Amino acid sequence: MLRIHFTGEDLSRVTVATRSDPLWDVLLSLHMVQEPDRSLAFSEWRRRTRALRMPAVRPLLELARPWGYSPDFLTPGRGEADFAHQLEDVLSTPRTQLSAELAILAEESRPTPWIRELAGGDHQVMARLGDTLAAYHRVALAPYQARIQAHAEADRARRGLALLNGGVERLLAELHPRVRWEAPVLQIPVYADQDVYLEGRGLVLVPSFFCRIQPITLMDPDRPPVLVYPLSPRLGWLRPAAAEGDQDGLDPVVALLGRTRAHVLDAAAAGGTTTELAVRVGVALPVISRQTSVLREAGLLDTRREGGSVRHHVTPLGIALLNGELGPDGTLG
């Protein structure tokens, strides 16, 4: 369990970053690209990224395994600087910090020769790390920056409303379903037991497109406090940027299905019961029942009994539609 302890001064110094952090996104996307395709929203991104076959990126996978500890020096920022400036911070990491953090990594898995060289802070090895980080960012993340930023801005607006309507404690309580706010402590279930005492330093909340499961922070409690939380993008985020006025990116689907039905299909991308879909879409149960029936008859939705409940899942045809692979006339694009 991660427990973040606030003072009154800390509560007055909670801020939300204006954008996702480039190196946090590098680290968390490296985690994601190594995992099985459990998230439909990222299946296409994983496919594209894995298809790049970047052998030079393999050393990064040794540093950023999908589970367990990842060295803090890889994520020096809190959404306040661009990739180039943050890369400079990584490459100027003191040798003592490199050695200490890579020693923690070595406790979980046997270090490779490259990791041992990196721990020594050799100039050529650090330069190789910089080149590898830049190459991965250029091909796996940079092409999607506009869409990532649009999600971050929309999320920041929602967080602002929570702050205006309920203050900072509501902002913290509604940060993520797995977060529990019991003043003055924010509790998050993570793989390690950790206490972070802010002691007047405040906290920066940083959205991340690639953060999964629950918010995370640095292992070193003496570093500037940051909490990175998931943005949870919709299916179809890889579609070309939405036209002006298309607030949810579903306009092509709306043109084919109608607004309510399109939102029901989108809400079902993560799977769910009729009641869960009603909550997500914000309509009555009878409406959901009617719309899921129509979507099922159209081959876009599949309904199955799982245990004691009935759950709805989007079919491959429905996924293709949400991902922009079907045109408004219902043909493959």
Side-chain angles (χ1 to χ4, degrees):
M1 180 71 71
L2 168 63
R3 294 171 293 273
I4 302 177
H5 301 258
F6 289 74
T7 65
E9 183 178 358
D10 292 314
L11 289 173
S12 69
R13 300 184 64 188
V14 173
T15 59
V16 181
T18 58
R19 58 183 176 180
S20 63
D21 185 273
L23 280 181
W24 274 104
D25 280 349
V26 165
L27 174 68
L28 296 172
S29 67
L30 283 166
H31 291 171
M32 185 172 284
V33 79
Q34 298 175 73
E35 294 180 330
D37 290 332
R38 296 191 183 96
S39 170
L40 290 176
F42 285 96
S43 292
E44 177 63 13
W45 175 84
R46 280 194 184 92
R47 186 191 67 77
R48 293 185 188 183
T49 303
R50 290 168 178 168
L52 295 171
R53 301 188 182 279
M54 300 173 287
V57 172
R58 178 149 298 280
L60 295 182
L61 306 183
E62 299 173 13
L63 285 171
R65 295 160 307 146
W67 298 101
Y69 174 74
S70 293
D72 287 346
F73 75 84
L74 293 172
T75 49
R78 301 190 293 173
E80 75 278 30
D82 60 23
F83 176 79
H85 285 90
Q86 290 204 10
L87 185 58
E88 290 179 8
D89 289 341
V90 170
L91 299 184
S92 60
T93 302
R95 184 173 299 184
T96 53
Q97 183 182 345
L98 284 172
S99 177
E101 294 184 3
L102 292 174
I104 297 174
L105 185 67
E107 293 174 0
E108 297 187 1
S109 62
R110 179 177 298 179
T112 63
W114 183 75
I115 294 294
R116 287 195 290 269
E117 292 176 357
L118 187 63
D122 178 80
H123 177 73
Q124 290 185 339
V125 177
M126 293 299 288
R128 179 186 174 193
L129 172 63
D131 291 343
T132 305
L133 286 168
Y136 176 79
H137 182 269
R138 182 171 58 252
V139 299
L141 299 178
Y144 313 113
Q145 283 305 304
R147 281 167 254 186
I148 291 173
Q149 180 60 18
H151 277 76
E153 290 174 356
D155 179 82
R156 193 168 192 264
R158 289 193 294 272
R159 305 295 173 187
L161 287 175
L163 181 64
L164 288 171
N165 293 330
V168 69
E169 295 198 50
R170 178 169 175 180
L171 171 65
L172 295 172
E174 296 182 356
L175 185 64
H176 188 269
R178 292 174 66 89
V179 166
R180 187 167 73 237
W181 170 250
E182 293 185 358
V185 182
L186 191 68
Q187 302 180 51
I188 307 166
V190 296
Y191 84 99
D193 197 55
Q194 181 182 5
D195 284 278
V196 176
Y197 294 88
L198 298 178
E199 299 176 329
R201 296 176 296 168
L203 182 67
V204 179
L205 305 174
V206 178
S208 175
F209 215 60
F210 299 92
C211 186
R212 73 246 199 268
I213 304 177
Q214 73 267 318
I216 62 171
T217 189
L218 298 165
M219 181 66 74
D220 185 351
D222 296 325
R223 297 281 295 275
V226 59
L227 187 67
V228 180
Y229 65 91
L231 276 177
S232 302
R234 294 174 177 269
L235 263 175
W237 66 270
L238 282 176
R239 285 195 304 255
E244 185 177 354
D246 182 7
Q247 298 298 318
D248 47 31
L250 287 174
D251 270 4
V253 187
V254 170
L256 182 63
L257 302 179
R259 181 159 300 278
T260 300
R261 203 166 293 153
H263 280 279
V264 171
L265 183 65
D266 186 59
T273 64
T274 302
T275 300
E276 289 170 341
L277 297 187
V279 171
R280 291 176 199 168
V281 180
V283 297
L285 283 171
V287 175
I288 292 292
S289 295
R290 288 196 300 272
Q291 302 300 347
T292 54
S293 177
V294 173
L295 291 169
R296 187 165 52 251
E297 291 175 4
L300 301 173
L301 207 62
D302 183 29
T303 301
R304 309 172 194 165
R305 180 166 293 280
E306 297 181 7
S309 61
V310 173
R311 298 186 66 84
H312 306 283
H313 302 269
V314 179
T315 65
L317 181 64
I319 292 170
L321 176 60
L322 289 169
N323 275 331
E325 297 164 7
L326 293 181
D329 58 355
T331 61
L332 284 169

